[in-house]
Every structure is written in C-alpha cells, then in structure tokens.
Amino acid sequence: MNPREELGDLIAQAREHLRYYSELGLTHIGEKSTPAVSEQRVEDLIAKQATSTAHGAFEPKRQEPPASTIIPPPQPVTKPTITMPTKKENSTDPSLFGEPSLFGENASPAAENQYANETLEDIRRDLGDCHRCKLWSTRTNIVFGEGNPKAELMFVGEGPGADEDATGRPFVGRAGQLLTKMIEAIGLKREDVYIANVVKSRPPGNRAPESDEVKACIPFLFRQIAAIHPKLIVALGNPAMQALLDTKIGITKMRGHFQGYPRIPGIKVLPTFHPAYLLRSPDKKREAWEDLKKVRAFLRGETES
Ligand code: SF4
C-alpha cells in the first residue's frame, strides 16, 4: 500500500470512529474546555496530522523533566593506582625492594669490594675492641661469630643475649640449644655451619638492636658473609631478615620464601622464625620445620629456590 492509500485508509478509519462516537451521543473529543469539535474539524485535524506523518515530521514529543530532577549521567570512575615497590635495575641502591637503604652509603655492596679476599681473622682484627656504637658500654664480650669458615650454610640472628654476652659465643643459651637441634634435624652438625648476629654486642635487656647500632655494626656481618660465601643464609627472625634483605617487610610475609641476598649474586636467604620466638610460641615449630626441610632440600640440590 502506497502512502496515499495508507492516508485514505487512515481517514476512513477516523470517520468510522467519529460516527461511532456520534451514535453514542459524544460531541466533544479532546480537551475538556474546548468547544464542541465538528466532525469536519476533526477530519481536518486528522488530515493535517497524517500529512505531517507522511513527511516524517511527526514524532511523539519527549516530555523533558524539570531541571531539578535531571540526574547527570554517571562519570567514569578513575581507580587509584597502587604501585608496589620493585627492585631497581642497575641501581647502586642495595635495597632489594627499591626502598631507601636502611644502611646508607657505608654499606653499599661496593664498600665490600675493598675487603675482597680478607679472612674472618682479618675482619675480627679490624673490629678490635669496638666502640663504634653505644652497645660497647654495656657488653661483657664481643660475640663475633663461630663455625666453619667455608660453610655452605649460615645462620644469622639479631644480637647476643645474656649467655652469649657472658661467653663471647653465639647462640649458646636456651635458644641456642634449640638452634643446635634444628641444625642436627637436617643432618648437619653445628661445626658444619657458621653462626653470627647482626650486632656483636648485647643490646641491654635483650631489646632489639636500634637502627644506629645496626648501621654501625652490620658492615662487619656483610664482610663475614663475603669471606665465607655460603650458598644459603637462614635469617632468624625479623630484625635479622630485615637487615640482610634491607627491607621493612615483616617476617610473617617473608618466612619460608627464598630470597636473593642483595649484596652478592648467587647467595640465597631463607627467613624463618628465631629460636627464642619458637620457645615462646611452640605452635610455630611446625612452620619452622617446614622451612628447615626447604633448607635441607636446597643444600642437597633437590629444589629450585
Ligand atoms: S654492636 Fe657492633 S658496632 Fe656496636 S660496639 Fe658492638 S661490635 Fe661495635
């Protein structure tokens, strides 16, 4: 049906409706207040509207809401970007995780190069009757470290306790006895490994070493590690792990995960709980044992770290 026929059909239908309304007695169609609309007038209106439609101009008029009810379209949400610290490539900053170094320039890996090929005896001689930090004033003995100078495995704690201070030997108190058992549990003897601490004088009251004490003392530990060149260092507890890896991340996140020792390529670090903590929290021994099994497997070449 062409538009003309369509229009005629529309008008015919309208006439039919009007006739029907007339028979019902209706004379008004549309607004209440308008006067009666004659049949002819309605026909004219319909014809006019139909003409508009035929030209595509008739569209149902959109009712615009009042300005106060207009809801603006949603704006795109920009998520905040969280950037995790990453290791800086080719950086002289020794920090493993790209944080500012805890130790400053004094302990940059380059600083160890000047001590290349020195022995543990050389390092001990250089340490002397050390007064480099305030811990000298309360100590009885310097606890330098002991064990196999060619050990594949090193254990590093945070600092000497009362028994160690009294004897000048590392890990000889109750925690030390537990450490010896841990070493033997993986098929080694205490003499096979090397044991040292981050600070070599006892912090009073068994407190954790303070940052200025760590900064003063840790270059000697770094030199010991360079001289021994172990395959693996087990970091015992939070202070030792944070000092060795130069990070502020906590032990609970890092425990049981092999890390690269940031100062010498090829040496690995495995953080685990300090034996003194295991004495206070025996329920953690199971996790420590899992870590020790990783140590054993690593030394046997059974696992990729
Ligand atoms: S803790 Fe280290 S730096 Fe401080 S006095 Fe003792 S040996 Fe020296």
Side-chain angles (χ1 to χ4, degrees):
M1 192 184 286
N2 63 41
R4 197 177 185 82
E5 289 168 337
E6 208 172 336
L7 183 60
D9 192 46
L10 201 65
I11 293 167
Q13 281 180 36
R15 279 203 180 111
E16 274 302 307
H17 279 106
L18 285 170
R19 207 168 290 122
Y20 175 68
Y21 293 141
S22 276
E23 283 169 7
L24 290 177
L26 294 174
T27 54
H28 292 74
I29 297 174
E31 298 145 293
K32 288 180 198 166
S33 57
T34 52
V37 181
S38 70
E39 191 172 304
Q40 185 56 50
R41 173 109 192 275
V42 172
E43 281 183 12
D44 290 346
L45 285 171
I46 291 171
K48 193 176 170 188
Q49 201 171 59
T51 307
S52 300
T53 305
H55 287 88
F58 176 71
E59 292 287 338
K61 193 159 183 192
R62 233 176 93 195
Q63 194 76 31
E64 293 295 339
S68 60
T69 63
I70 294 174
I71 301 169
Q75 299 298 312
V77 178
T78 309
K79 288 187 180 176
T81 307
I82 301 170
T83 309
M84 293 295 288
T86 55
K87 180 166 169 49
K88 294 173 188 168
E89 296 296 335
N90 304 319
S91 170
T92 54
D93 183 344
S95 170
L96 179 60
F97 300 99
E99 305 157 359
S101 171
L102 300 175
F103 314 120
E105 287 300 308
N106 274 351
S108 73
E112 273 147 83
N113 292 339
Q114 62 183 302
Y115 301 111
N117 303 320
E118 67 181 348
T119 64
L120 291 173
E121 289 75 24
D122 296 332
I123 300 165
R124 180 66 188 89
R125 200 175 306 114
D126 189 19
L127 183 65
D129 182 25
C130 184
H131 287 199
R132 290 175 179 84
C133 82
K134 60 185 179 292
L135 291 180
W136 77 269
S137 61
T138 50
R139 76 168 179 237
T140 307
N141 287 298
I142 286 180
V143 181
F144 180 71
E146 68 178 25
N148 181 354
K150 297 290 173 205
E152 290 192 333
L153 178 61
M154 267 186 87
F155 288 87
V156 174
E158 64 190 71
D163 294 313
E164 291 77 17
D165 182 55
T167 60
R169 296 182 57 212
F171 282 89
V172 291
R174 282 187 66 223
Q177 288 161 22
L178 179 56
L179 177 63
T180 302
K181 284 183 188 168
M182 290 161 68
I183 293 167
E184 289 169 351
I186 55 172
L188 296 172
K189 294 196 285 288
R190 193 175 154 109
E191 309 84 79
D192 295 329
V193 305
Y194 195 90
I195 305 171
N197 283 299
V198 172
V199 293
K200 304 190 183 312
S201 302
R202 183 194 179 202
N206 287 347
R207 65 162 169 76
E210 293 171 355
S211 63
D212 60 318
E213 297 156 0
V214 172
K215 276 184 193 172
C217 204
I218 203 161
F220 292 94
L221 175 66
F222 292 154
R223 288 163 62 184
Q224 286 171 293
I225 292 169
I228 296 165
H229 210 286
K231 282 184 180 172
L232 178 62
I233 304 166
V234 175
L236 299 168
N238 213 37
M241 181 208 73
Q242 291 183 336
L244 285 167
L245 297 177
D246 201 358
T247 181
K248 290 177 182 166
I249 300 174
I251 185 86
T252 45
K253 277 193 182 163
M254 304 284 278
R255 197 215 98 245
H257 298 286
F258 285 98
Q259 306 292 326
Y261 176 56
R263 312 181 68 79
I264 300 177
I267 297 179
K268 296 290 181 185
V269 176
L270 186 74
T272 191
F273 295 126
H274 193 285
Y277 175 71
L278 295 176
L279 290 173
R280 295 194 302 272
S281 309
D283 56 309
K284 297 291 180 187
K285 283 184 182 172
R286 177 186 289 271
E287 289 166 70
W289 174 235
E290 292 303 317
D291 299 342
L292 285 173
K293 286 196 286 186
K294 289 182 184 175
V295 172
R296 182 175 61 189
F298 176 84
L299 293 175
R300 288 177 178 172
E302 294 170 358
T303 55
E304 293 292 320
S305 59

